[in-house]
Amino acid sequence: MKHLIDIMELSPAELDTLLDTAEDIIANPGKYAEECRGKKLATLFFEPSTRTRLSFEAAMLELGGSVLGFSEAQSSSAAKGESVADTARVVGCYADIIAMRHPKEGAPLVASRVAGVPVINAGDGGHFHPTQTLADLLTIRREKGTLGNLTVGFCGDLKFGRTVHSLTAAMSRYAGSRFVFISPEELRIPEYVKSEVLAPRDVPFAEMRDLESAIQGLDVLYMTRVQKERFFNEADYVRLKDTYILTPEKLHRAKRELCIMHPLPRVNEIDVRVDDDPRACYFKQVLYGKYMRMALILLLLKEAGRI
Ligand code: CP
């Protein structure tokens, strides 16, 4: 593996290696504190981010490396019209590895072809967000003890939610996975996920409108934000944004071992009173994201012969 653009580029064995490495980092952080001494991570964020950018930076710092980069397109030469390819080629002269977020689908792939160093997709438009999926998989494995034989419910904006598409693809490779897609009509899971990801593996799934009817059968509930930035029409966003709000009352029918996840940022989808429920895993998910990014940086730099 030279880059990470799409989670499905990782073989199940590579995924296991990353998950096991992250678990080892959690157990033995001191062992990894100097692994990237003298190495530099560039974070090229053309779109806003809190978790992904800062967790990449924290990950590299905890590995003993350094970070450089920008957090908005306006503070880079993209504002003067420089292409993604030229930006990546230039930054590849300064850094050992690049994490890139971009509103255009495919931009990190373009960067990976010319940068000369490993490129990690930190989110491209409504397309993929593979490192969020790594965080999600580690969360599920640690909370449920397995990645197989689970019923995973996705709720909210399943059309634009790139984390939903990536996690569905990743989980569909584990035996016994079942999915429940809960959304309004306008934000249904895209057809390609059903026809190209689920159908070839005969993975069972259902589509529902009502969260309360679906909740009792779930092992994992993955809430998502309605993605305002992907809507063309403000009125549609306002009409749909509060379709689902998870409250303690709605959790009464859920399993005692339910794992409640959310990639964050949250807007209104989860009532803050749910934060005190032991089933709320979304802040653990944030922490696990840092460990998975540490494991990924290590793997890619080793593959590139840079450490
Ligand atoms: N989950 C996630 O991608 O969060 P940020 O947009 O803050 O990076």
Side-chain angles (χ1 to χ4, degrees), residues 49-52 101 129 132 263-265:
S49 167
T50 296
R51 274 147 297 275
T52 311
R101 172 172 288 187
H129 193 351
Q132 180 65 50
L264 305 180

Side-chain angles (χ1 to χ4, degrees), residues 146-202:
T146 178
L147 289 168
N149 294 307
L150 295 173
T151 300
V152 182
F154 291 99
C155 179
D157 182 352
L158 310 188
K159 177 178 178 184
F160 296 115
R162 56 194 173 195
T163 62
V164 172
H165 310 158
S166 294
L167 185 57
T168 301
M171 290 292 290
S172 69
R173 297 202 292 200
Y174 293 93
S177 290
R178 298 168 295 274
F179 299 100
V180 183
F181 299 110
I182 307 150
S183 74
E185 180 64 27
E186 297 89 332
L187 299 176
R188 282 173 63 184
I189 193 84
E191 278 307 313
Y192 89 87
V193 175
K194 292 184 268 181
S195 61
E196 296 174 26
V197 176
L198 301 175
R201 293 190 172 87
D202 279 331

Side-chain angles (χ1 to χ4, degrees), residues 100-141:
M100 176 185 283
R101 172 172 288 187
H102 201 286
K104 282 202 182 137
E105 298 177 1
L109 177 64
V110 169
S112 73
R113 291 181 174 149
V114 295
V117 298
V119 173
I120 302 169
N121 180 2
D124 60 334
H127 206 206
F128 298 128
H129 193 351
T131 62
Q132 180 65 50
T133 307
L134 293 177
D136 298 343
L137 291 171
L138 182 62
T139 305
I140 295 170
R141 195 170 90 162

Side-chain angles (χ1 to χ4, degrees), residues 2-5 97-100 108 111-112 115 117-121 300:
K2 292 190 168 68
H3 310 278
L4 182 61
I5 304 300
I97 185 165
I98 293 171
M100 176 185 283
S112 73
V117 298
V119 173
I120 302 169
N121 180 2
L300 287 171

Side-chain angles (χ1 to χ4, degrees), residues 14-132:
E14 285 172 326
L15 203 45
D16 284 345
T17 300
L18 283 171
L19 290 162
D20 293 344
T21 304
E23 298 267 15
D24 196 50
I25 293 169
I26 293 169
N28 307 291
K31 196 170 122 186
Y32 295 89
E34 297 293 325
E35 288 273 312
C36 290
R37 181 67 61 201
K39 301 300 161 193
K40 285 171 280 182
L41 164 76
T43 50
L44 310 186
F45 276 59
F46 297 83
E47 254 197 348
S49 167
T50 296
R51 274 147 297 275
T52 311
R53 185 172 65 84
L54 296 181
S55 68
F56 264 116
E57 295 186 358
M60 191 52 156
L61 294 173
E62 289 188 27
L63 291 167
S66 312
V67 296
L68 65 161
F70 53 81
S71 57
E72 53 179 349
Q74 282 308 108
S75 64
S76 78
S77 285
K80 300 178 214 159
E82 186 165 54
S83 68
V84 165
D86 282 1
T87 303
R89 190 170 289 197
V90 167
V91 175
C93 300
Y94 307 145
D96 298 282
I97 185 165
I98 293 171
M100 176 185 283
R101 172 172 288 187
H102 201 286
K104 282 202 182 137
E105 298 177 1
L109 177 64
V110 169
S112 73
R113 291 181 174 149
V114 295
V117 298
V119 173
I120 302 169
N121 180 2
D124 60 334
H127 206 206
F128 298 128
H129 193 351
T131 62
Q132 180 65 50

